[in-house]
Amino acid sequence: MSDRKKAVGVETIGMTMRFGAFTALDDVSIKVPAGSFHALLGENGAGKSTLVKCMMGFYHPTAGDILVDRREVAITSPKDASALGLGMVYQHFTLVPSLTGAENLVIAREKVPGIIDWRKERAALAQFMQRMPFKLPLDVKVAELAAGEKQKLEIIKQLYLGRSFLVLDEPTSVLTPGEAQEVLGLVRGMTKAGDLTVLMISHKFHEVTAFADDITVLRKGRLTGTGKVSELSHKRMAAMMIGDQPIAALDSRAPVPVGARQILTVKALKAPDRTGLKTIHIGALDVKSGEIVGVAGISGNGQKEFLEVLAGQRARDAGDVLVKGSPYGASRAEARTLNVRFIPEEPLRNACAPRMTVAENMAFRTFDLNEAGKPINWIKMSAIRDYAARLVEHFKVKTASLASPISSLSGGNVQRAVLARELTGEVDLLIVSNPCFGLDFSAVAEIRARIMKARNAGAAVLLMSEDLDELLELSDRIFVMSDGALVYETPIAQASVQTIGEHMAGHH
Amino acid sequence: MDSTEIGLWGVPLAMLGGAIRVSTPFIFVSLGEAITERSGRINLGLEGTLVFGAMTAYAVAVMTGSPWLGLLAAAAAGLCFGLFHGWICKFRGVNDIAIGIALMLFGSGLAFFFGKPFIQPSAPDLPAIPFGGWSDVPQVQAALNVNVLFLIGAALAVFLWWAFRNTRAGLILRVVGDSSDAARAMGLNPNTVRLLATGLGGALAGIGGAYLSLYYPGSWTEGISSGQGLMAVALVIFARWNPLGCFAAALLFGGAGALGPALQSVGVTQGYYLFYAAPYILTLIIMIATSSPSRSLAGAPGELSITK
Ligand SMILES: Nc1ncnc2c1ncn2[C@@H]1O[C@H](COP(=O)(O)OP(=O)(O)O)[C@@H](O)[C@H]1O
Ligand SMILES: [Mg+2]
């Protein structure tokens, strides 16, 4: 742990992984030389995580070999991998939330004494942290750290364990642009010094260009390209990733008419956050007809709670939420008369009943109304099916049948089904949260196009997203939420990633 | 005994003595349950384990003449119950709460079945230490006659509190209880850790049962437990899974439980029976006071099925 080993190089030869009849990885050979920074690119579902999990001994590949420093090795468990100096920072945090940083580091070690002498361990940790380029509080519970700090701790943990080859699976998806620079800069420096080899999974081209030496691209389990970053354009990389599938184009943005009607008004809203220790406080927010207002922020800064208040899932302590001038409490009747529609994040969990059929899920808004919009007592399954069939066709939802459970659909198609339900009929206010999280290129493009269409048709859209690129592409105005409050507002014409990032990090 | 001699002072004194006497089974069951729940599983079967432990301890003490052998036998029986619970729960789709309820009924039923012949004979008691020798007041002497198991329980609470943060085993237990994924990424097997934690929890509940039949009330009857095993589970939750909190809460419960008898002993003749319900009312009040609709339970192990 103290004297770090030098960087090692890793190669895979003919890596193949089948899950039953499905081939997730097909004869993939990649080469990551010692001391290099390698980027692994590919769409969601391309097999990137599968490949690195095979390298880490989490999966046992159907076929293929791994070479470490040009010697063939057998890696059958994560323990084997760590004995060879191979480590990984997972897409989802693997720190234990109720333990402190120090406890997390010590317990992750190969050999932990039966009784832990904390005085000695603290001293050793302090010494170790002195060689790290950033400071971290090690005595608070991990649950109380911000996402960026957690990610740094994950990386520090790997370094503490003496890794000489590090896999980072989409390491910056939870970081502000500034934090991402800092963290990647740190590992980049270590590769340059020859202390570390890095294999980073990413789909952010600007990061790849700024930090990586070489790339490997996967598509549908196959290797579709490799090369030096310095010789490849973003366009070329994108082509390797997505092939030649059609991508929906965004409608051009109709100008917001002057004097457009104010649809959503939030005034002096106060609500407890999920720990109950802090409150979120929204001073004033308004969204006009025909505009998209984006809310940026790192997850855990109160966006979720704000959304829950708007959706009626969380009680508020004070303040008003008005839609078209009338108070809005998120009841079914109010949503119906005021034409409010809602697309929460992780739609399968938050907007669907996973085991009910596609048709039933799509009818949630309308199943108890007749054609004239009057409440009915007897539900007609045939009407529900016909309605769903029309929507499925119109929104191009791919499903085996209308009677399949909605949980059997892929993520993109669940989101299309939810969009179909929410965007059909008159929409005056649309509240959306992270609509494209974890979807592939074509689904992302189509869903953004649908949101833009709704805006151009006169809907007021409140869009919360952790993806800054998405906000910059769609919004007319952007707010930044930090520590439970809206701390910054900018029209899109003056928006700069730099300034927004600083406000996200709370540096103002 | 004439209680008017010290007047109303008899009430707090009797409550103190009662707290010490009544709390011991709560201490053991709740510490056992704290260990189990910290590993991410809940064992509601401890009520059954407690009753079976009481029967086993009494039977073995009658047959061998040694209360200590009885205690050991109760711990072993509890261990078996716990391991059984832990073993069944490792299968997919098995719900730990449902299994716990089944084991609770199973344990009591089995104890009644095997315990029939032991209702009559009398067994030797576990020893107590008279800390009240300095006083001539009989009430003080009675209150400070402390059983060794109470002292062991207090020491155990302090030890567990220390061990949860200063030993490898303690940290591993907390890792498993908080995140199975993190545990697996570390190469730990959550099922094994939970099996052991549930076994240990069962053994401690068995010891709690031994105290019931071998000290207070000190005989084996079918109504020996009045739900201590179940209330201890509630107690762990509002002690926030902290062993020292479990100890304090157990004392509080013991004191509340002693309120009715204490009032009766100073000559309150009406309404005192209402105070017999004090522990149950206390459970409700504390549960309501410490919970909130808008906030998740602080300190709850992340893998616990009731708080997930
Ligand atoms: N354990 C598994 N069982 C079955 N299919 C899997 C499993 N893990 C991944 N897959 C499938 O393999 C494909 C590649 O997944 P993954 O490697 O996670 O993609 P990504 O490139 O987004 O990381 C996906 O279609 C996924 O559904
Ligand atoms: Mg992945």
Side-chain angles (χ1 to χ4, degrees):
Chain A
M1 151 193 86
S2 46
D3 281 319
R4 297 188 26 73
K5 284 172 263 163
K6 283 288 173 187
V8 297
V10 176
E11 267 176 71
T12 69
I13 298 176
M15 203 57 107
T16 302
M17 179 80 207
R18 292 199 188 90
F19 296 107
F22 176 73
T23 307
L25 211 56
D26 190 2
D27 192 26
V28 174
S29 305
I30 72 167
K31 190 168 178 178
V32 185
S36 68
F37 193 124
H38 198 100
L40 183 59
L41 294 171
E43 284 222 64
N44 276 298
K48 306 176 301 284
S49 296
T50 306
L51 175 65
V52 294
K53 281 181 181 164
C54 285
M55 297 167 78
M56 288 297 137
F58 260 95
Y59 292 156
H60 298 238
T62 319
D65 297 307
I66 300 176
L67 311 188
V68 172
D69 270 346
R70 296 203 196 81
R71 265 199 307 269
E72 194 174 326
V73 292
I75 299 180
T76 55
S77 75
K79 276 207 168 129
D80 295 344
S82 78
L84 290 162
L86 274 49
M88 174 162 168
V89 173
Y90 294 86
Q91 213 164 347
H92 303 286
F93 294 121
T94 57
L95 295 166
V96 185
S98 72
L99 266 58
T100 65
E103 286 173 332
N104 264 291
L105 290 181
V106 169
I107 196 67
R109 229 161 50 197
E110 199 86 338
K111 291 200 181 65
V112 187
I115 292 174
I116 298 162
D117 179 354
W118 276 113
R119 196 172 318 161
K120 210 181 87 206
E121 296 291 352
R122 285 232 170 74
L125 279 171
Q127 211 178 4
F128 167 77
M129 287 302 289
Q130 253 166 19
R131 285 184 282 127
M132 292 292 115
F134 38 67
K135 298 280 153 272
L136 269 182
L138 288 183
D139 284 325
V140 297
K141 285 187 181 162
V142 166
E144 287 158 27
L145 295 180
E149 289 176 311
K150 282 187 202 160
Q151 188 66 284
K152 286 181 198 164
L153 187 57
E154 290 272 7
I155 290 174
I156 283 198
K157 183 170 109 184
Q158 295 300 324
L159 299 177
Y160 175 75
L161 297 174
R163 306 294 192 223
S164 35
F165 179 89
L166 196 56
V167 176
L168 306 171
D169 196 348
E170 304 200 14
T172 58
S173 51
V174 291
L175 305 183
T176 64
E179 284 174 326
Q181 293 282 330
E182 190 184 347
V183 168
L184 293 181
L186 159 74
V187 289
R188 177 71 192 148
M190 297 186 73
T191 62
K192 281 217 171 109
D195 288 334
L196 192 67
T197 311
V198 172
L199 174 60
M200 175 178 78
I201 297 179
S202 179
H203 54 231
K204 295 184 185 163
F205 291 140
H206 57 91
E207 273 174 20
V208 172
T209 317
F211 295 102
D213 299 311
D214 313 288
I215 64 164
T216 295
V217 184
L218 296 185
R219 181 167 79 234
K220 291 184 183 157
R222 296 231 170 91
L223 193 139
T224 52
T226 56
K228 284 206 176 316
V229 169
S230 51
E231 293 162 6
L232 290 167
S233 66
H234 287 183
K235 207 166 169 190
R236 187 80 199 87
M237 292 184 205
M240 287 178 184
M241 277 169 78
I242 58 178
D244 43 13
Q245 47 184 312
I247 293 288
L250 215 54
D251 276 11
S252 59
R253 187 184 294 274
V256 185
V258 269
R261 181 161 181 211
Q262 187 154 321
I263 302 289
L264 173 70
T265 313
V266 179
K267 276 193 295 214
L269 180 75
K270 273 199 179 121
D273 82 338
R274 65 196 52 236
T275 61
L277 303 176
K278 290 191 278 188
T279 53
I280 65 157
H281 181 218
I282 306 293
L285 173 77
D286 60 274
V287 187
K288 291 192 196 62
S289 163
E291 75 167 345
I292 299 178
V293 170
V295 178
I298 310 162
S299 77
N301 274 284
Q303 304 97 309
K304 217 176 199 160
E305 285 86 349
F306 181 32
L307 203 78
E308 284 171 357
V309 171
L310 293 179
Q313 293 165 320
R314 177 173 290 274
R316 53 177 186 244
D317 293 339
D320 298 307
V321 177
L322 306 175
V323 176
K324 294 192 269 185
S326 39
Y328 180 71
S331 73
R332 195 172 162 81
E334 283 168 335
R336 207 169 258 167
T337 48
L338 298 171
N339 297 329
V340 178
R341 301 304 175 91
F342 194 63
I343 302 172
E345 60 188 13
E346 290 185 72
L348 186 61
R349 244 182 63 193
N350 297 321
C352 295
R355 284 188 212 159
M356 289 174 81
T357 66
V358 173
E360 286 164 343
N361 270 285
M362 293 181 93
F364 279 177
R365 290 246 176 232
T366 49
F367 72 96
D368 53 352
L369 299 177
N370 63 14
E371 288 83 8
K374 293 271 172 320
I376 49 172
N377 292 319
W378 298 98
I379 286 156
K380 266 200 282 186
M381 276 320 283
S382 62
I384 289 181
R385 265 197 308 275
D386 292 347
Y387 179 74
R390 256 184 295 135
L391 262 56
V392 160
E393 168 154 354
H394 186 197
F395 281 77
K396 303 196 202 79
V397 183
K398 275 191 216 114
T399 169
S401 90
L402 290 176
S404 324
I406 198 158
S407 60
S408 68
L409 268 53
S410 74
N413 284 308
V414 172
Q415 187 62 292
R416 283 192 188 98
V418 171
L419 272 173
R421 177 178 85 204
E422 300 297 315
L423 292 183
T424 301
E426 250 175 76
V427 183
D428 287 330
L429 174 61
L430 179 64
I431 299 170
V432 194
S433 170
N434 288 317
C436 299
F437 190 78
L439 305 185
D440 60 36
F441 267 100
S442 59
V444 166
E446 191 186 324
I447 282 157
R448 289 183 186 164
R450 295 269 181 202
I451 293 173
M452 186 57 89
K453 249 203 192 91
R455 167 202 180 274
N456 286 347
V461 181
L462 180 66
L463 171 66
M464 304 203 188
S465 177
E466 283 159 31
D467 181 347
L468 205 46
D469 297 334
E470 176 167 85
L471 290 171
L472 292 169
E473 184 180 341
L474 294 177
S475 311
D476 296 283
R477 274 188 293 147
I478 294 183
F479 282 90
V480 175
M481 191 154 181
S482 171
D483 212 11
L486 297 177
V487 292
Y488 178 67
E489 180 189 354
T490 171
I492 193 71
Q494 276 103 54
S496 103
V497 177
Q498 175 82 25
T499 328
I500 292 178
E502 280 169 12
H503 283 96
M504 280 162 76
H507 289 167
H508 275 256
Chain B
M1 225 184 292
D2 187 9
S3 57
T4 49
E5 229 175 280
I6 54 169
L8 280 180
W9 280 106
V11 176
L13 204 55
M15 277 178 70
L16 174 69
I20 291 173
R21 231 176 306 122
V22 179
S23 65
T24 308
F26 281 125
I27 294 173
F28 279 92
V29 181
S30 64
L31 289 180
E33 183 68 11
I35 295 174
T36 308
E37 290 191 14
R38 275 285 179 122
S39 81
R41 222 173 244 161
I42 191 162
N43 182 1
L44 283 185
L46 290 189
E47 172 74 13
T49 313
L50 183 85
V51 175
F52 194 81
M55 190 282 297
T56 311
Y58 200 74
V60 171
V62 167
M63 289 188 291
T64 63
S66 159
W68 294 109
L69 280 180
L71 186 79
L72 271 184
L79 180 72
C80 293
F81 270 96
L83 290 178
F84 186 57
H85 183 279
W87 176 71
I88 296 184
C89 284
K90 90 174 178 192
F91 297 108
R92 275 180 64 87
V94 173
N95 179 283
D96 51 351
I97 292 181
I99 295 297
I101 292 174
L103 276 183
M104 173 166 85
L105 300 174
F106 179 69
S108 312
L110 211 58
F112 298 162
F113 178 74
F114 286 118
K116 280 274 185 282
F118 297 100
I119 293 181
Q120 282 304 325
S122 86
D125 274 2
L126 286 165
I129 303 171
F131 282 108
W134 48 269
S135 164
D136 328 317
V137 185
Q139 283 94 336
V140 174
Q141 286 177 358
L144 293 182
N145 203 19
V146 178
N147 187 274
V148 281
L149 277 189
F150 176 81
L151 301 175
I152 294 174
L156 186 64
V158 176
F159 170 76
L160 284 178
W161 172 78
W162 173 84
F164 277 157
R165 53 187 78 201
N166 288 296
T167 65
R168 179 176 58 206
L171 282 189
I172 286 180
L173 188 77
R174 286 165 60 201
V175 168
V176 170
D178 216 32
S179 162
S180 296
D181 286 340
R184 273 191 218 101
M186 263 175 222
L188 298 168
N189 182 346
N191 278 325
T192 312
V193 176
R194 290 189 187 133
L195 179 75
L196 296 177
T198 321
L200 199 58
L204 289 181
I207 293 177
Y211 178 92
L212 285 179
S213 63
L214 294 181
Y215 187 72
Y216 182 82
S219 63
W220 161 247
T221 61
E222 294 190 350
I224 189 156
S225 159
S226 45
Q228 279 101 324
L230 273 179
M231 270 156 59
V233 176
L235 199 146
V236 173
I237 295 174
F238 70 72
R240 295 286 180 268
W241 296 270
N242 177 345
L244 293 183
C246 287
F247 180 75
L251 273 184
L252 192 68
F253 266 68
L259 189 60
L263 286 175
Q264 203 180 357
S265 75
V266 295
V268 176
T269 52
Q270 275 196 334
Y272 63 84
Y273 43 83
L274 262 184
F275 290 92
Y276 278 95
Y280 309 100
I281 295 169
L282 195 68
T283 315
L284 273 177
I285 292 176
I286 297 185
M287 281 295 192
I288 293 168
T290 56
S291 59
S292 145
S294 60
R295 170 163 50 88
S296 59
L297 224 47
E303 291 287 327
L304 218 53
S305 52
I306 46 163
T307 54
K308 241 182 193 170

